Amino acid sequence: MKLWSLLVSLFLRVVLRIAVRGGEHLDGVGQGCLVIANHPGRIRQWVLLAWLATRQAGRQRLLCCVHPGAVWPAWLNPLLPGILLRVADPLDQRGEQALTAVAAQLVQHLQSGGRAVVWPMALPDSAVSAARAHLKPYGWSILAARQAGVPILAACIEQTGRRVDLTLLPPCQYPGAETPASRHHRQLAGQWAQDRLGEAALRHHQGRWTLWRMLCRALRQYGRHRLVLTDATGQSATYGQLVTRALILGGVLARRHPPGERIGLLLPTSLAATTTFFALQAMGGIPALLNFTAGPAPVCSACRTARIQTVYTSRLFVHKAGLTPLTNALQEAGQAVLFLEDVRAALRPWQLLAGWWRAWWPERGCQGRKTGVQPGDPAVILFTSGSEGVPKGVLLSHDNLVANGVQVRTRIDVHPDDLLLNVLPVFHAFGLTVGTLWPLWVGIRCHALPSPLDYHQIPEVAYTLRVTLLAGTDTFLSGYARAADPGDFVWLRHVVAGAEPLREETSRLWMERFGVRILEGYGTTEASPVLAFNTPLACRFGSVGRLVPGVEHHLEPVPGLADGALLAVRGPNIMLGYLLPDSDGCCHPPSSRHGAGWYSTGDVVRVDEDGFVHILGRARRFAKLAGEMISLAAVEQLAARTWPGHRHAAVAIGVDRHDAGGRKGEQLVLVTEAPHPDRRALLAQLRASGLGETHLPGRLIGVEQLPLLGSGKIDLAAVQILAANTIQSEGGASRHFPVFSVDEGEAFLP
């Protein structure tokens, strides 16, 4: 056995070049432990087993509990004499008795000091490249380890080129109950195992990849000729074409800008935007994605905040979008505005040839520029939506974005033939990470559209191209559903909503018309952006899902609120820091009373016993009336139930006189798109909902359309001004004030 272990170890190190992270954790547990692993495919599954068998202490054999589809060929059995195989077949004729028998054997083996390894099921190698730890976990194995009193280690194994990488997390005990008879307990144990596997995947990628290296890794993994990106102009790109174009453009930009320079991008969601983004990554620049829908003043302010001297855009885009005033304002403010058409026209044949040559060794060609970019360095600058104030710059690192991509990957399944329709702007964190970067990393095709407001064209595109994945905001999804024919979204498998609360009306509309359940999520630009979302395996209506793996959270009670607390988070996807106006472009890391690295989201939430997060509202969107904390989001939901099919926004306005209800100094104002809003209808709905009359707005203001941001969210700052001006014009002097703000020690407040 020792000779066999020596030969296998030599084969793994020399031939397969296996690299192990955290191997000391397995040696430290001694006898008796359970290893849970993501399934790496039928070809590589025995690599993990062989490595574990060589580390097996004593004469105990390694017990392997697998799904029937994970059984390896019989010819491998002589090569793995130290492994005892047991098949856990949920379709066995004996039903639950079959699993109970395997679980009992697992408990006995662990209690006797043996080691065991479990993974859920197997997939063909072609599908494993896209599917990972989201596969159905079996909680009975976790409960068996809990009953045996042994630690559990989560492992992640992947192949990068010719090398096999293995990462193990430190051992831990399952914190839940050990009653195997309860199906609910088995489900909770399965979710816990899924989270641990997600954390192992995070640890596997942490500190290893830049955005450019992730693109090169995907090129090797999925093939140079794999089509990955198309757009509304009819252009398309394979991995090889995207890398080649990025290196050609990056070579030109490297001669104009030093590594580390912050460079503005003013481009729509398109192949050109993705190519330019990765060109800057290849030459070591830091792209700052500018919100062209915000207007000249906010964009110029963003450039000053981030210390941007050069902005790249497209002359055709500027002409079609009517952005000439914006580019003129940038030039007047001192920024150089350069057009990609001019850069392309100035290319020389030798530059094209050099870029094509470097594309055959893309990582070496990038490193040849000696940029020295590390995973922890800044990768991109985004700007907050400004829905409640002045936008701030958010500095995200390569590690932040890669970690968030891995977190999403561990929670939602994709197939090699999936097609994602990206309608979100690239300057939005959701549109960048989920709509642009994530499809490239998991090897699925993405079709980019420049405007999410084309409600009639987008359903037609979804049907024609057979779109299977769609992400958007509630506003956009509601518009698509109303404009679409029932068969337009027949190909959809998953629809994810974020950036704003998902209305019950929108969710019901999609289910009734298309039979599609919208998976609501939650995130912030500062979190790259995904923090939580519902999945097909774990979905609870009214919540935004469970927090993604690797994110720690802390709940801070809010005075005056019995059911809700401020959410603070920490994790690998949390930003490097803010870029603030008049801060000379310096980065201010997140901090709160919980310590450095903790980011206070400013959201009031409730986390239920199963870990699902329920958003109650923004901390700054609570008004104190008659000594009671009133959620403005609750007022908006009340209006949505009264007048479904219309958008509503509630704000608190300070007044210099008593309002009609006798409350001095402030009143609730509801701005609504509902025609002829009647306060009596709102009062009737209020009483039917069981809410107190303090939730009844003092004023109703009807508008044809609420002001919106480019991301589709309601512009609350503009609504606040609109309401204040309306009240003032009616004779009531109004004043702006913060309706509620957290203490200075609670959050990082600029």
Side-chain angles (χ1 to χ4, degrees), residues 281 319 353 415 452 494 559 729:
Q281 298 296 335
H319 173 71
L353 183 61
H415 302 314
H494 298 311
S729 65

Side-chain angles (χ1 to χ4, degrees), residues 244-289:
T244 302
R245 295 172 187 176
L247 284 173
I248 292 173
L249 180 57
V252 176
L253 299 181
R255 294 178 175 272
R256 300 184 179 187
H257 309 284
E261 181 178 346
R262 299 169 181 176
I263 300 172
L265 293 185
L266 198 69
L267 294 169
T269 305
S270 61
L271 175 58
T274 305
T275 302
T276 309
F277 178 87
F278 279 106
L280 292 176
Q281 298 296 335
M283 55 82 61
I286 304 175
L289 305 178

Side-chain angles (χ1 to χ4, degrees), residues 367-495:
Q367 292 172 354
R369 304 187 188 282
K370 299 181 180 180
T371 56
V373 178
Q374 300 299 318
D377 292 341
V380 66
I381 299 173
L382 298 176
F383 296 90
T384 57
S385 63
S387 60
E388 299 176 21
V390 179
K392 302 182 288 289
V394 177
L395 195 60
L396 300 173
S397 71
H398 298 268
D399 258 344
N400 293 152
L401 294 167
V402 171
N404 205 229
V406 174
Q407 289 166 330
V408 173
R409 187 183 187 184
T410 61
R411 284 291 178 85
I412 193 166
D413 67 302
V414 293
H415 302 314
D417 55 351
D418 272 329
L419 172 59
L420 172 69
L421 181 60
N422 182 23
V423 299
L424 296 176
V426 71
F427 59 74
H428 190 274
F430 199 10
L432 174 64
T433 301
V434 178
T436 303
L437 300 179
W438 182 69
L440 292 172
W441 295 339
V442 298
I444 62 174
R445 181 182 162 199
C446 176
H447 184 75
L449 292 179
S451 174
L453 299 176
D454 201 340
Y455 293 132
H456 293 279
Q457 181 189 10
I458 288 174
E460 291 289 344
V461 171
Y463 178 78
T464 304
L465 298 182
R466 299 191 176 190
V467 171
T468 59
L469 305 175
L470 177 65
T473 66
D474 175 88
T475 301
F476 297 151
L477 294 177
S478 176
Y480 305 152
R482 297 182 185 283
D485 293 327
D488 284 342
F489 296 116
V490 67
W491 311 109
L492 278 180
R493 293 197 307 113
H494 298 311
V495 178

Side-chain angles (χ1 to χ4, degrees), residues 48-122:
L48 173 62
L49 295 175
W51 183 84
L52 290 172
T54 60
R55 309 296 284 266
Q56 182 78 353
R59 295 186 177 182
Q60 280 273 24
R61 299 176 70 183
L62 178 69
L63 178 63
C64 179
C65 299
V66 298
H67 188 274
V71 179
W72 51 81
W75 60 266
L76 277 177
N77 289 330
L79 302 178
L80 302 172
I83 297 176
L84 179 62
L85 179 67
R86 286 294 178 267
V87 178
D89 188 359
L91 302 181
D92 191 284
Q93 293 181 354
R94 294 176 297 168
E96 289 286 337
Q97 294 180 356
L99 290 180
T100 302
V102 177
Q105 184 178 3
L106 177 60
V107 172
Q108 182 180 2
H109 182 79
L110 294 174
Q111 287 177 338
S112 64
R115 294 177 177 176
V117 60
V118 175
W119 52 65
M121 62 178 295

Side-chain angles (χ1 to χ4, degrees), residues 203-416:
R203 179 69 182 89
H204 184 77
H205 290 83
Q206 191 171 3
R208 298 180 58 185
W209 306 98
T210 63
L211 298 186
W212 178 255
R213 289 195 63 201
M214 283 291 289
L215 177 62
C216 298
R217 175 178 179 268
L219 181 145
R220 293 194 306 269
Q221 186 172 359
Y222 304 112
R224 182 176 294 270
H225 301 291
R226 179 74 169 270
L227 180 65
V228 290
L229 187 58
T230 57
D231 66 11
T233 65
Q235 297 187 20
S236 62
T238 63
Y239 276 112
Q241 291 170 338
L242 179 60
V243 168
T244 302
R245 295 172 187 176
L247 284 173
I248 292 173
L249 180 57
V252 176
L253 299 181
R255 294 178 175 272
R256 300 184 179 187
H257 309 284
E261 181 178 346
R262 299 169 181 176
I263 300 172
L265 293 185
L266 198 69
L267 294 169
T269 305
S270 61
L271 175 58
T274 305
T275 302
T276 309
F277 178 87
F278 279 106
L280 292 176
Q281 298 296 335
M283 55 82 61
I286 304 175
L289 305 178
L290 302 175
N291 182 357
F292 49 81
T293 67
V299 173
C300 291
S301 174
C303 290
R304 289 192 300 270
T305 298
R307 296 300 185 265
I308 297 170
Q309 300 297 325
T310 306
V311 176
Y312 283 91
T313 186
S314 165
R315 183 176 285 107
L316 179 62
F317 169 61
V318 170
H319 173 71
K320 285 190 173 182
L323 298 178
T324 303
L326 174 57
T327 56
N328 291 340
L330 287 171
Q331 291 174 334
E332 293 174 0
Q335 279 77 35
V337 178
L338 304 178
F339 297 100
L340 293 176
E341 291 89 344
D342 298 338
V343 176
R344 180 178 181 181
L347 285 173
R348 298 293 180 261
W350 65 267
Q351 292 174 318
L352 297 174
L353 183 61
W356 175 83
W357 178 256
R358 286 194 297 269
W360 289 100
W361 299 274
E363 290 188 59
R364 188 178 304 174
C366 175
Q367 292 172 354
R369 304 187 188 282
K370 299 181 180 180
T371 56
V373 178
Q374 300 299 318
D377 292 341
V380 66
I381 299 173
L382 298 176
F383 296 90
T384 57
S385 63
S387 60
E388 299 176 21
V390 179
K392 302 182 288 289
V394 177
L395 195 60
L396 300 173
S397 71
H398 298 268
D399 258 344
N400 293 152
L401 294 167
V402 171
N404 205 229
V406 174
Q407 289 166 330
V408 173
R409 187 183 187 184
T410 61
R411 284 291 178 85
I412 193 166
D413 67 302
V414 293
H415 302 314

